[in-house]
Amino acid sequence: AQTVTQSQPEMSVQEAETVTLSCTYDTSESNYYLFWYKQPPSRQMILVIRQEAYKQQNATENRFSVNFQKAAKSFSLKISDSQLGDTAMYFCAFKGVDQGGKLIFGQGTELSVKP
Amino acid sequence: NAGVTQTPKFQVLKTGQSMTLQCAQDMNHEYMSWYRQDPGMGLRLIHYSVGAGITDQGEVPNGYNVSRSTTEDFPLRLLSAAPSQTSVYFCASSYRGRNTEAFFGQGTRLTVV
């Protein structure tokens, strides 16, 4: 069975600085998909970035980028130029191929951006 | 375009009561899922469906029933509520394609007393 682990329950960063959130996973599959979701206090789940395992290039979305290390089964999220609106819970998620859209989530990291 | 709509947003139940959490999507997504979110545990899959008439169990299915009679709707039924079912519940939907984004409802905060 696949598992996803986020070992940092809480993190904080100063506004305009860079922060990295860690995520490791375990799977025996060779192809899969990885996601980072953001959950602000409104409770809404918002997709931040996604990565396909067979693509070696790290995904980037504006200030958000990932460091995908397939051999190490690591998928960290880097937030550059942190903004107050980045304050939220962040979840790492795994999706296998042809598994009915099921997502396996990590425990979450609560990020606080301080002015 | 409403996306994924969950009702109610908040609910308090007494132990032993039953209720149905409603979920509807207007994006013609094949896949729908229900998750529960508990502190320190992330989101865990309760039940999921790959299409009308097809459902299957996830990681934590006990105490919950689902059915999918139409593509749009995927209700979650609590048969006899227990305090352990106090949680935030999310419904999600996505297209059948492999690298597709899951869209989530706003969540239902359920308290069982």
Side-chain angles (χ1 to χ4, degrees), chain B residues 7-99:
Chain B
T7 55
K9 288 187 171 51
F10 301 93
Q11 182 71 48
V12 178
L13 285 179
K14 293 183 179 179
T15 297
Q17 286 184 319
S18 63
M19 79 160 295
T20 299
L21 306 184
Q22 301 291 345
C23 176
Q25 53 93 6
D26 61 359
M27 298 172 281
N28 205 29
H29 287 168
E30 295 90 348
Y31 296 161
M32 296 187 75
S33 306
W34 276 102
Y35 298 86
R36 59 177 288 173
Q37 181 181 2
D38 301 293
M41 304 189 74
L43 281 75
R44 293 179 292 167
L45 182 66
I46 305 171
H47 286 286
Y48 68 102
S49 169
V50 298
I54 306 170
T55 64
D56 205 348
Q57 296 182 350
E59 180 185 355
V60 288
N62 293 340
Y64 308 95
N65 272 358
V66 293
S67 61
R68 184 120 178 251
S69 57
T70 67
T71 299
E72 295 77 18
D73 300 299
F74 191 45
L76 177 72
R77 283 180 284 276
L78 280 70
L79 308 174
S80 177
S84 62
Q85 294 178 304
T86 293
S87 188
V88 178
Y89 291 84
F90 286 94
C91 179
S93 72
S94 64
Y95 285 115
R96 187 195 306 271
R98 293 182 167 186
N99 188 21

Side-chain angles (χ1 to χ4, degrees), chain A residues 31 33 35 37 39 42-45 47 50 52 89 91 95 97-103 105-108, chain B residues 9-10 31 35 37 40-43 45 48 50 88 90 97-102 104-109:
Chain A
N31 195 20
Y33 306 92
F35 304 85
Y37 279 90
Q39 186 182 48
S42 67
R43 208 165 66 195
Q44 182 64 44
M45 294 288 286
L47 178 66
R50 76 184 88 182
E52 300 176 51
M89 181 73 83
F91 291 101
K95 185 172 80 167
V97 174
D98 295 329
Q99 292 188 7
K102 295 182 293 183
L103 291 166
F105 286 89
Q107 300 88 335
Chain B
K9 288 187 171 51
F10 301 93
Y31 296 161
Y35 298 86
Q37 181 181 2
M41 304 189 74
L43 281 75
L45 182 66
Y48 68 102
V50 298
V88 178
F90 286 94
R98 293 182 167 186
N99 188 21
T100 56
E101 174 186 355
F104 287 81
Q106 288 276 41
T108 297
R109 180 174 292 279

